Amino acid sequence: MIPGTPFLAVDKVVLLSNIEKMARHCSQQGISLRPHAKTHKSFEVAKLQLSGGASGITVATIGEAEVFARAGIKDIFIAYPLWLDSSKLARLKKLKRKTSLTLAIDSIEGAATLAPLKRIKVLIEIDSGHHRSGVQPELAGALAKKAALLELNPVGVFTFPGHSYAPNAKSLAVRDELSALGEAVKSFEREGIACQVVSTGSTPTAKKTKGGLITELRPGVYVFNDAQQLELKNCKANEIALWAEATVVSKTGRKLILDGGSKIIGMDRASWSTGHGRLLDFPEARITALSEHHATVMFGTKSKIPELGDRVRVVPNHVCNAVNLVDELYPVSDTGFAKPWKVRARGKNS
Amino acid sequence: MIPGTPFLAVDKVVLLSNIEKMARHCSQQGISLRPHAKTHKSFEVAKLQLSGGASGITVATIGEAEVFARAGIKDIFIAYPLWLDSSKLARLKKLKRKTSLTLAIDSIEGAATLAPLKRIKVLIEIDSGHHRSGVQPELAGALAKKAALLELNPVGVFTFPGHSYAPNAKSLAVRDELSALGEAVKSFEREGIACQVVSTGSTPTAKKTKGGLITELRPGVYVFNDAQQLELKNCKANEIALWAEATVVSKTGRKLILDGGSKIIGMDRASWSTGHGRLLDFPEARITALSEHHATVMFGTKSKIPELGDRVRVVPNHVCNAVNLVDELYPVSDTGFAKPWKVRARGKNS
């Protein structure tokens, strides 16, 4: 049964097209595609990605990996510098019997907590300009060597060029990731270690990334897209596959209140965003304020304005955090709503 | 079993003290306390509030009301201008047989969708300066009269002085709510309708609100408090009852990366916030960036800085959205962690 508003709907035709386009790009470039499953957290979407040519999936947490391994996914990269306590270590020991697992390190101290997982594949995280986790590129080889001494199996490097999430930053981020990954590969060579995997990826940079040095892409958001990607001109409105169905519950002049708030679309708002999400069918409207259950929407003087009780489609700024708020996604096509998809990895933070 | 980091912990002693202080304030002022349960969404906290003197609870959605009615709570106000479709109407018909239910209206069109719930109690929402939903105060009586003609039972007015969520705005918001509610009561008198309930409440204004005109307070955040309340000087650090336990997973100089990101503490950040939350034991540190699974924390040159692998306590900016991200809260006291509390109303958006 379709729930009352607000709920998250997915346009299956657009979703499939987004999956197909990214797979084609990677195939043309000779790059493996390992989509980040934190965006959708659901078996159904992961299976569409894999049958569309993805080589495996990326996740952010052990809990997400456990969920997807249960679904039979046989190749999972946890793209996060884990720090293992005894409980997390025990979970990973169990997990690596079920799936081919690759882990991430950015410090020798962190690597030491993974050491009991003898010969587990690890990628060295490098900082390509986002300045979050990751070592400087030229230090990757040295860390790989130390990891090998701990009996880990360093097979390559990865980065997240997250500084691509800003206006006009895409080309710079692509150059940065290429240059940083090139440095990292050289540092592996200096240590005499084979760098088999050179992995990167963000939705803004993905389609500008070329094959050659880079062996693997890990975009996440592209499956659904969102208001951030729209405003950064990384997608068109007709490439947005997910929105919150919401109802106009209050109206005063050109101001509407929708029942879709931060508990359904999330509170992400970058400094460059024009509002707290966008209305798919009213491109000129702006969400000027967001409470937990209220979106305040302003319309221009010449706009057509929805009426009280009307349904509208609200595109979240950041789709990953929106999906993480709900237990189910409602796939919709010409024939109406189909059976909901469970967001099985929702809330699997640890 | 205690999960690995990140997870949300609750200090039960502080929680009880917060509940007791608010109950005492309301009792001293002769005001009923009807806490907003959207903050905690859990039976255990609701029961502590009720046994501490609350007269009932407030919720934001039908789904939340259903959850708390199942827990045996007999007096529930849904403080939201609902727009009922046939499915929501059917749910409310069922629900009102289980609990004493009060609903909210801010338009005659919305009221008409509630009309089949014959004689249901409604409060008229008024705008006291937050400019979200709600009618102008002087129009409350006229809407109440029209609602009565629809055979609804208008018993009073309510407001949310949400413009109290800004530096130095508290006193102004208290004056605004009092003045607006006074106007609204007069408008009821003009229509010859008894205004039995005069309800308001936000955590910033609650303790400054006096009895007399106002009959009911509905604060929510006060049970836990959060970084916003701390930075607005509405609570002290030792009145913060909830935090995310997080681990230092990466470290570069004075920059730390914690495994608590927006998927555990939420993405709320008001323009006046000094960061994306606060570290309870490092008051000088600031969370300068937040990704889904990474909090970037900067420390001053003279600060003591946690080490890789250390556990730290991260206070969310807005506790309501943080709690809505998790399935369980972990109550902690001197004797360690107790059995987790289920966040039973999590995700009940409709």
Side-chain angles (χ1 to χ4, degrees), chain A residues 5-6 38 80 83 88 106 131-132 250 255 259 262-263 291-293 309 318 321 327 346 349-350, chain B residues 5 38 80 83 88 106 131-132 250 255 259 262-263 291-293 309 318 320-321 327 346 349-350:
Chain A
T5 60
K38 71 177 168 61
Y80 194 85
W83 186 278
K88 286 184 176 176
D106 87 340
H131 305 322
R132 197 171 64 179
S250 181
K255 185 189 83 175
D259 64 3
S262 63
K263 281 181 173 167
S291 312
E292 288 158 69
H293 299 279
H318 184 188
N321 275 332
D327 294 316
R346 191 208 61 73
N349 283 311
S350 71
Chain B
T5 60
K38 72 176 167 63
Y80 194 83
W83 186 277
K88 286 184 176 175
D106 87 340
H131 305 322
R132 196 171 64 179
S250 181
K255 185 189 84 175
D259 64 2
S262 63
K263 280 181 173 166
S291 313
E292 289 158 67
H293 299 279
H318 183 189
C320 307
N321 275 333
D327 294 316
R346 192 208 60 73
N349 284 312
S350 70

Side-chain angles (χ1 to χ4, degrees), chain A residues 6-11 39 165 221 224-232 235-237 239-246 258 260-270 272-281 287 290 295 312-326 329, chain B residues 267:
Chain A
F7 63 91
L8 295 187
V10 175
D11 186 317
T39 301
Y165 275 75
V221 169
F224 295 135
N225 288 310
D226 55 24
Q228 287 188 161
Q229 299 304 329
L230 183 73
E231 298 203 336
L232 290 174
C235 73
K236 300 200 180 74
E239 293 175 310
I240 290 173
L242 181 146
W243 60 86
E245 290 265 343
L258 308 178
S262 63
K263 281 181 173 167
I264 189 82
I265 62 169
M267 204 61 196
D268 290 72
R269 184 177 176 176
W272 43 263
S273 292
T274 69
H276 293 275
R278 291 283 288 266
L279 269 56
L280 197 47
D281 306 295
I287 303 176
L290 198 67
V312 295
R313 302 193 291 171
V314 185
V315 183
N317 272 341
H318 184 188
V319 71
C320 308
N321 275 332
V323 168
N324 189 48
L325 293 166
V326 300
L329 301 174
Chain B
M267 204 62 197

Side-chain angles (χ1 to χ4, degrees), chain B residues 5 117 183 243 246:
Chain B
T5 60
L117 299 164
E183 278 298 318
W243 60 86

